[in-house]
Amino acid sequence: MLAKQNAVVELMRISPVAEELSALFAKAGHSLFLVGGSVRDALLGKLGKDLDFTTDARPEQVMRLVSGWADAVWDIGIAFGTVGATKDGLTCEITTFRADQYDGVSRNPEVKFGDSIEEDLKRRDFTVNAMAVNLATKQFVDPYDGMAALEAKVLDTPATPEESFGDDPLRMMRAARFTSQLGFTAAPRVVEAMRRMADQIQRITAERVQVELSKLLCGIEPRRGVELMVDSGLADHVLPEVPAMRLEIDEHHQHKDVYQHSLVVLEQAIDLEEDGTEPDLILRLAALLHDIGKPDTRRHIPGGGVSFHHHEVVGAKMVRKRLRELRYSKEIIENVAKLVFLHLRFHGYGKGEWTDSAVRRYVTDAGDLLDRLNKLVRADCTTRNRRKAQALQRSYDDLETRIARIAADEDLARVRPDLDGNEIMRLLGLPPGPLVGKAWKFLKDLRLDRGPLDHDEAVAELQKWALDNVSGVVPAAGEDVADGAEQVEDDRRDD
């Protein structure tokens, strides 16, 4: 069987570490198994550098056995029976056989150590993760037909799905995540159990759910994972804005299916990621969520048709709220929300009617997100009208060409006013304070509108602005003019 051949090849690759570790345990009278995801990945021919082992030795015995052999040892998970170690660049987690009991309320088990590999494998999440390899004999242990499930690309549970998900509801998210990461299909009984038990995901902390969602979105087929979440009802509790995009469509008020459109945009955004780079979680979140403001802004137009005015504004607010609840970092939240807010900006470009000023503002508003924004607006084209799609692609190309040209001439990455804060204060006789920041912002907007100005022109424009905004202000005695530069810098950072 090809899968077994792959596993043998992978085991040979790690054999020095595995053999040494197995010998240590055998000498002490204990068995040691490669287990779980490590076996699954070995069978798929893609074993990584993080290895999972299980043993009949108790945690304190494991600590004694690996101390002195490993390059480093840690016991952060020892309360749950896990000891960690590194050796020759490999990370090993060694866990004592488990036979846990769950209270059905939290996902924290009453830790109970087991005495057999079969008992340990039964408590694992899916049959494809419930296989083991006896490192001493190289024999496969597969009491729950994980090999057959792996070949069929099916996710099923060793125990009943109800038992498995009742023990740990996070496993429902893992089902969706493995669907994305491995391209597998959940067994019908697994999907049915997810539908009945979806609300139990609320027992899980938002942080743990967020980790699984992020891994799902960074998988090879995230659309399938999202679809399983939505079809099972899991998304109603984790990401309810996504199933809410399945808007009813009637013959008089037709529009694209927003949910299906968003899934296509997600796939097309992924296609635009550079080969060889890590999956772009921010871009993928923005692609999936860019239209979540549409349900709340949908208006039926008399005579037929539908409008979604300002859905990008509403959507950005919704993104912030949802991602905060999922405990994403502030950076991810703000970047995704900004992309959602800006994703319609391009549609005003038309056939190139934008002035250079509009192009500068587009670039400046996008900032470090410009490349992602360009990918998002390209991915947002899902029309089946080939002529329209080609016209849009030409417009995208034209805009990017103009951005490159203006950037080369004007260093758009660092747009600044033509006069700095110190010179503003000197010319206008201003003390440090908010008025200096307002003058700085005026000059920045002028720079965006007209491009670089020569010094005399910038001074003249500043003086004209001052006639309407400054009256009889003189520097305060004893104040350091340099403080104004700090004020301007603070204003600029907040701008």
Side-chain angles (χ1 to χ4, degrees), residues 361 415-419 424 428 434-451 453 457-470 488 491-492 495:
R361 288 186 178 278
V415 172
R416 298 289 184 273
D418 296 285
L419 303 175
I424 290 170
L428 300 184
L435 200 54
V436 179
K438 291 179 181 179
W440 188 94
K441 187 176 186 304
F442 162 75
L443 290 173
K444 179 183 176 181
D445 289 341
L446 196 65
R447 168 74 168 74
L448 290 171
D449 286 338
R450 291 164 49 179
L453 307 178
E457 189 176 6
V459 170
E461 292 293 343
L462 176 64
Q463 290 173 339
K464 284 194 291 185
W465 175 86
L467 289 176
D468 295 326
N469 294 275
V470 182
V488 171
D491 290 342
R492 183 182 64 78
D495 184 24

Side-chain angles (χ1 to χ4, degrees), residues 11-86:
L11 288 171
M12 289 298 292
R13 182 169 64 81
I14 66 162
S15 60
V17 169
E19 291 290 348
E20 290 176 20
L21 196 56
S22 176
L24 282 175
F25 279 75
K27 186 176 180 180
H30 297 293
S31 58
L32 186 71
F33 296 81
L34 189 71
V35 72
S38 293
V39 175
R40 179 199 70 221
D41 290 343
L43 291 169
L44 294 172
K46 56 178 184 179
L47 184 60
K49 293 187 176 183
D50 294 335
L51 306 176
D52 294 325
F53 300 91
T54 189
T55 178
D56 59 348
R58 293 316 191 236
E60 296 77 12
Q61 295 171 310
V62 175
M63 284 289 294
R64 288 196 296 271
L65 287 171
V66 298
S67 296
W69 168 80
D71 299 326
V73 179
W74 61 93
D75 61 358
I76 192 170
I78 199 167
F80 295 95
T82 299
V83 174
T86 57

Side-chain angles (χ1 to χ4, degrees), residues 81-98:
T82 299
V83 174
T86 57
K87 180 70 173 180
D88 297 341
L90 297 175
T91 299
C92 307
E93 288 197 348
I94 307 162
T95 302
T96 301
F97 292 158
R98 297 276 290 273

Side-chain angles (χ1 to χ4, degrees), residues 35 52 180 192 230 334 379 395 426:
V35 72
D52 294 325
S180 167
E192 184 56 37
V230 171
E334 290 307 312
S395 294
R426 181 181 62 79

Side-chain angles (χ1 to χ4, degrees), residues 17 64 68 100 150 192 207 215 287 304 355 452:
V17 169
R64 288 196 296 271
D100 299 334
L150 193 71
E192 184 56 37
E207 290 84 356
K215 289 180 179 178
T355 63

Side-chain angles (χ1 to χ4, degrees), residues 30-31 47 58 60 90 121 145 154 159 163 181 187 262 312 321 328 341 357 373 393 410 414 428 477:
H30 297 293
S31 58
L47 184 60
R58 293 316 191 236
E60 296 77 12
L90 297 175
L121 295 177
D145 294 326
V154 171
E163 289 179 272
Q181 286 185 325
S262 298
E312 76 281 11
K321 182 176 184 295
Y328 276 100
F341 179 75
S357 171
L373 181 59
Q393 293 300 329
E410 303 178 15
R414 294 196 300 270
L428 300 184

Side-chain angles (χ1 to χ4, degrees), residues 92-137:
C92 307
E93 288 197 348
I94 307 162
T95 302
T96 301
F97 292 158
R98 297 276 290 273
D100 299 334
Q101 299 293 322
Y102 289 79
D103 59 16
V105 177
S106 70
R107 68 177 298 269
N108 297 320
E110 177 187 342
V111 177
K112 180 181 178 183
F113 298 128
D115 297 308
S116 72
I117 183 63
E118 290 78 13
E119 186 179 21
D120 178 90
L121 295 177
K122 185 176 181 179
R123 60 168 289 277
R124 294 180 180 266
D125 53 4
F126 300 105
T127 59
V128 294
N129 296 329
M131 297 177 284
V133 177
N134 186 317
L135 292 174
T137 65

